[in-house]
């Protein structure tokens, strides 16, 4: 290997290493969200959601302004705004249900939702993009359905929070796949769509004297304002990771988030985890292991084909 090839190889390894660190940072921060949202008491879930929407929008407008990209929002077509509105609805549902799950003491169930999410995304790929299921994916989905049945019997009801989180985030992923915008512009547009509702609710709370924004000390106000930064930082880290590491690697890193959330719920908050519930989670983990192994094997085969092509030429 020549010196230039060695330098290129070393540079590529540094890029991937940086991407992995960014991915760990993004998923690690998302995994710590239960700790952050727990600090926002006595604010309710909807009030927290409203402030998260508003302050994220403020931050993203600043980011786009610095980048000189604000003008792109004025030239969007009606179809693009429709897709942005759909994405805004999906992520608002996801954020709202997640916050409700945390503040109501159901962190473990929220973690289940993000464990299920990759498998729901596989189903959506079949439904919306006509992707074909491989045998390993079918096996993983069957195991996931069995896990949901076991957990439903354990709870005495379907895990509504978990299923809503998985479905809403998978829906968000489908919409983002077809929105013709970069992630920063799209997120800003989503905030513009949701902001009137969020601002209206914050004003309603202020008028009725039921809001907590200004009545519970400077620390509480600062924490609510920081929701924008808390939302944007992991998204930006995720964007940097997605540009630098293979999707298979990113797919493995994503399990860090629900793992940390579940650990927080069980160890810190002391949520109940009977044996029957553990069985359901073990089935989900086996399903994810089957799914992830299949994805890694397929990615390696594709890389081998790509690497072999120049040699054949």
């Amino acid at each position: 290997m020549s010196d230039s090839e060695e330098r290129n190889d070393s540079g590529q390894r540094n890029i991937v290493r940086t991407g992995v660190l960014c991915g760990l940072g993004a998923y690690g921060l998302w995994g710590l969200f239960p700790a952050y949202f727990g600090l926002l008491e006595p604010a309710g879930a909807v009030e927290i959601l409203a402030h998260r929407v508003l302050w994220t929008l403020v931050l993203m407008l600043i980011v786009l302004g610095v980048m000189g990209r604000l003008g792109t929002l004025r030239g969007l077509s009606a179809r693009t705004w429709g897709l942005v509105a759909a994405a805004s609805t999906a992520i608002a549902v996801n954020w709202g249900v997640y916050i409700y799950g945390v503040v109501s003491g159901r962190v473990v169930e929220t973690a289940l939702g993000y464990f299920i999410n990759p498998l729901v995304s596989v189903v959506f790929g079949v439904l919306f993009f006509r992707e074909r299921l491989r045998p390993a994916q079918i096996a993983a989905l069957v195991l996931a359905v069995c896990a949901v049945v076991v957990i439903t019997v354990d709870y005495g009801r379907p895990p509504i929070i978990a299923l809503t989180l998985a479905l809403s985030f998978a829906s968000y992923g489908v919409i983002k796949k077809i929105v013709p915008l970069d992630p920063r512009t799209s997120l800003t547009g989503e905030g513009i769509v949701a902001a009137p509702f969020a601002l209206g609710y914050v004003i309603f709370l202020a008028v009725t004297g039921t809001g907590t924004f200004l009545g519970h000390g400077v620390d509480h106000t600062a924490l609510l304002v920081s929701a924008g930064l808390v939302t944007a930082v992991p998204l930006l880290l995720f964007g940097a990771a997605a540009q630098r590491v293979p999707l298979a690697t990113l797919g493995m890193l994503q399990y860090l988030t629900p793992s940390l959330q579940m650990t927080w719920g069980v160890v810190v908050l002391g949520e109940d985890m009977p044996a029957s519930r553990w069985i359901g989670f073990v089935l989900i983990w086996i399903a994810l292991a089957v799914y992830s192994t299949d994805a890694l094997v397929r990615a390696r085969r594709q890389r081998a084909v790509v690497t072999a092509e120049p040699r054949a030429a």
Side-chain angles (χ1 to χ4, degrees), residues 263-286:
T263 300
W264 186 269
V266 174
V267 177
V268 179
L269 301 181
E271 291 187 29
D272 189 30
M273 281 293 289
S276 54
R277 199 168 303 170
W278 279 113
I279 292 172
F281 271 87
V282 168
L283 286 172
I284 285 291
W285 294 331
I286 294 173

Side-chain angles (χ1 to χ4, degrees), residues 6-303:
E6 287 182 359
R7 285 195 296 271
N8 288 337
D9 187 56
S10 176
Q12 185 60 35
R13 285 199 301 270
N14 288 334
I15 290 173
V16 172
R17 188 180 301 113
T18 300
V20 170
L21 290 174
C22 288
L24 289 172
Y27 289 117
L29 288 172
W30 280 326
L32 294 175
F33 269 15
Y36 168 73
F37 288 121
L39 296 174
L40 299 182
E41 292 183 356
V46 181
E47 182 179 7
I48 295 172
L49 173 62
H51 281 284
R52 188 177 185 184
V53 167
L54 292 173
W55 296 114
T56 299
L57 174 60
V58 170
L59 183 61
M60 293 312 299
L61 286 172
I62 294 172
V63 169
L64 284 191
V66 171
M67 295 174 61
R69 300 288 301 276
L70 281 174
T72 58
L73 292 168
R74 291 194 295 269
L76 301 185
S77 66
R79 178 183 180 276
T80 300
W81 274 115
L83 290 171
V84 168
S88 179
T89 301
I91 199 61
V93 170
N94 183 268
W95 286 357
V97 172
Y98 178 78
I99 294 168
Y100 170 76
V102 171
V103 300
S104 63
R106 302 178 188 178
V107 174
V108 171
E109 190 174 346
T110 67
L112 174 63
Y114 290 110
F115 278 125
I116 295 174
N117 175 69
L119 302 174
V120 175
S121 295
V122 170
V123 175
F124 279 14
V126 173
L127 293 176
F128 297 109
F129 302 107
R130 297 184 179 180
E131 297 175 0
R132 292 185 178 181
L133 288 176
R134 297 185 295 279
Q137 291 176 317
I138 294 173
L141 289 173
V142 171
L143 285 168
V145 170
C146 292
V148 171
V149 170
V150 169
I151 291 171
T152 296
V153 172
D154 172 71
Y155 278 125
R157 58 171 177 79
I160 299 298
I161 289 176
L163 292 174
T164 303
L165 288 174
L167 289 168
S168 60
F169 200 69
S171 299
Y172 184 67
V174 168
I175 299 166
K176 295 287 276 189
K177 192 177 180 68
I178 57 179
V179 171
L181 297 173
D182 67 88
R184 288 179 290 269
T185 304
S186 180
L187 182 61
T188 306
E190 292 157 27
I192 290 172
V193 171
F197 303 98
L199 183 59
Y201 187 71
V202 169
I203 292 173
F204 167 77
L205 292 178
V207 171
T208 58
T210 54
T212 67
F213 182 56
L214 297 176
H216 292 267
V218 175
D219 291 347
H220 181 71
T221 300
L223 281 169
L224 284 174
V225 172
S226 70
L229 190 64
V230 168
T231 299
V233 168
L235 283 172
L236 294 174
L237 287 173
F238 174 78
Q243 293 175 343
R244 291 170 171 82
V245 299
L247 286 177
T249 303
L250 208 58
M252 295 299 294
L253 291 176
Q254 72 179 320
Y255 302 129
L256 176 62
T257 293
S259 298
L260 288 173
Q261 292 171 351
M262 184 177 179
T263 300
W264 186 269
V266 174
V267 177
V268 179
L269 301 181
E271 291 187 29
D272 189 30
M273 281 293 289
S276 54
R277 199 168 303 170
W278 279 113
I279 292 172
F281 271 87
V282 168
L283 286 172
I284 285 291
W285 294 331
I286 294 173
L288 292 173
V290 171
Y291 167 77
S292 300
T293 301
D294 175 69
L296 286 172
V297 169
R298 193 160 182 263
R300 286 176 181 172
R301 286 175 180 171
Q302 290 175 338
R303 284 200 299 271

